[in-house]
Amino acid sequence: LKYAESFTACDSSVWDEVRRFLSSLKRLYAKEGKGIMFMETVMPNKKGLSQTRLDVIPVEDATLQDAPIFFKSSML
């Protein structure tokens, strides 16, 4: 694999694989009646490069529906 600063900066084949994995997680939690939110965090390290972490947060469907409104209002 080639280094990339974030998941969205990855080569398209890598990003496609990540999206397939995320879709699998969505299906897994849907069986439990939950949705999931993803949060990507990019942190610089001591070598001047960045390290990316993708958190998966399971939530109730009602919470998932309200999430875009909450995040949009928090950015204002």
Side-chain angles (χ1 to χ4, degrees):
L1 291 175
K2 184 179 173 185
Y3 171 80
E5 275 190 6
S6 65
F7 284 111
T8 55
C10 288
D11 181 71
S12 63
S13 63
V14 173
W15 183 235
D16 288 343
E17 184 67 28
V18 170
R19 282 198 333 243
R20 282 194 294 275
F21 179 67
L22 299 180
S23 293
S24 296
L25 288 174
K26 286 181 184 180
R27 287 191 301 274
L28 174 74
Y29 281 103
K31 290 178 183 177
E32 297 178 11
K34 294 185 176 185
I36 52 176
M37 295 189 305
F38 301 103
M39 182 174 59
E40 180 180 2
T41 305
V42 180
M43 301 170 287
N45 65 19
K46 293 178 184 178
K47 296 180 180 180
L49 300 173
S50 296
Q51 182 175 358
T52 300
R53 182 176 84 192
L54 184 65
D55 293 303
V56 178
I57 306 162
V59 296
E60 300 299 325
D61 281 332
T63 304
L64 186 63
Q65 292 174 5
D66 293 339
I69 296 167
F70 173 77
F71 285 109
K72 185 176 181 177
S73 65
S74 69
M75 297 298 239
L76 298 175

